[in-house]
Amino acid sequence: MARSLLLSLTLACFFTAMVSARDWNILNQLKGGKPTTSQNGIGSLKVSNLNRYCESWRVDVEIHNIRDFTVVPQECVWFVQKYMTSSQYEDDVERAVDEAILYLGKTCCEKKKCDGMDAWIFDIDDTLLSTIPYHKSNGCFGGEQLNTTKFEEWQNLGKAPAVPSMVKLFHEIRERGFKIFLVSSRKEYLRSATVENLIEVGYHGWSNLLLRGEEEEKKSVSQYKADVRTWLTSLGYRVWGVMGSQWNSFAGCPVPKRTFKLPNSIYYIA
């Protein structure tokens, strides 16, 4: 009887933790907490203080104060995982989508007036397709350097879900008459899996999907994406917006008219 009661309590705590992690939102965080010790020897910190420290680290990543990090600080891995699997992350993506739609209303491109040369660029990973299932199954969430071989094997399965709210934005832009270009740092051999994955989760009607061939792999990701914008501009396209979860989507010239950064503090790619 006692063992059954203990098992029931344990399972109840486990499922409560799962629910609270999923529903975590910055507006309803509990304050205070018991002291805990960080994994890298910083010392004893109250949970509330550690929350604030890790949230500050995450925000500084998003506003590009923190750059070129190889791994998430060990004491904040749990926080990044909690955030990226929470309703707060989904709300933050939705706010970015709302701002993009608001911006679309101020552009000159309307379906009846478009001349076919108004363009929008999307990245793919953690912009259109989510890599969160990969990080869940590998249990790292940025705490270890990304194993590119394993990651590409996972990409090749074509099982990534859509990032919340992004299918809606994709088709909103397409229906307004913009030509959509998908510019990804994925390698060319992943093309078939990528196309099938995108279509499976609801994306279709893009104008071009650009992946990195052997020549492009010699460049930094930032340079590769800037070169694509240069190429599109040389063809006469007006790039109204670029959306990505990494700052490399926006770096370099030519500068797009507007950029939209989606949250992602799991990794950094220059």
Side-chain angles (χ1 to χ4, degrees), residues 206-268:
W206 60 81
S207 294
N208 204 340
L209 167 62
L210 295 114
L211 304 179
R212 298 177 81 187
E214 290 184 9
E215 288 302 313
E216 286 78 21
E217 288 179 36
K218 298 175 183 177
K219 305 174 184 178
S220 69
V221 177
S222 297
Q223 186 60 56
Y224 156 65
K225 292 185 177 180
D227 287 348
V228 170
R229 294 198 302 276
T230 299
W231 172 66
L232 290 174
T233 302
S234 72
L235 295 177
Y237 285 102
R238 298 175 290 272
V239 181
W240 286 93
V242 178
M243 201 162 203
S245 71
Q246 293 285 309
W247 285 95
N248 59 40
S249 293
F250 322 124
C253 294
V255 178
K257 295 177 185 291
R258 182 70 189 268
T259 62
F260 294 89
K261 168 76 167 62
L262 293 184
N264 179 12
S265 49
I266 300 176
Y267 52 86
Y268 185 97

Side-chain angles (χ1 to χ4, degrees), residues 123-134:
D123 194 359
I124 293 180
D125 288 307
D126 294 308
T127 301
L128 298 182
L129 299 177
S130 174
T131 70
I132 289 176
Y134 171 82

Side-chain angles (χ1 to χ4, degrees), residues 80-204:
V80 170
Q81 177 175 358
K82 186 178 180 183
Y83 170 74
M84 293 298 294
T85 57
S86 71
S87 60
Q88 180 67 55
Y89 165 73
E90 295 182 8
D91 287 349
D92 291 346
V93 172
E94 189 173 2
R95 294 292 78 72
V97 168
D98 289 345
E99 288 301 315
I101 291 174
L102 184 64
Y103 166 69
L104 287 171
K106 300 176 182 178
T107 65
C108 298
C109 184
E110 297 177 10
K111 194 165 187 179
K112 294 180 181 179
K113 300 178 180 179
C114 282
D115 60 4
M117 300 307 290
D118 295 293
W120 192 281
I121 296 174
F122 283 105
D123 194 359
I124 293 180
D125 288 307
D126 294 308
T127 301
L128 298 182
L129 299 177
S130 174
T131 70
I132 289 176
Y134 171 82
H135 296 287
K136 279 184 176 179
S137 63
N138 287 272
C140 53
F141 274 91
E144 302 172 3
Q145 283 190 284
L146 191 67
N147 184 319
T148 54
T149 300
K150 288 180 65 177
F151 187 55
E152 288 176 9
E153 288 173 355
W154 178 81
Q155 289 174 321
N156 205 29
L157 295 175
K159 300 297 184 183
V163 171
S165 302
M166 290 303 295
V167 174
K168 175 182 76 173
L169 176 62
F170 180 95
H171 290 296
E172 175 80 17
I173 292 172
R174 186 180 63 82
E175 289 167 6
R176 285 175 182 261
F178 287 85
K179 294 291 182 65
I180 294 179
F181 293 88
L182 309 184
V183 183
S184 173
S185 60
R186 289 187 175 202
K187 295 178 181 177
E188 181 61 38
Y189 84 90
L190 293 167
R191 178 173 295 274
S192 294
T194 301
V195 169
E196 291 174 8
N197 197 164
L198 287 165
I199 293 173
E200 179 69 24
V201 298
Y203 300 107
H204 57 83

Side-chain angles (χ1 to χ4, degrees), residues 60-74:
D60 272 312
V61 167
E62 297 300 346
I63 62 178
H64 218 202
N65 284 340
I66 295 175
R67 307 181 183 187
D68 300 316
F69 65 90
T70 55
V71 294
V72 174
Q74 286 300 309

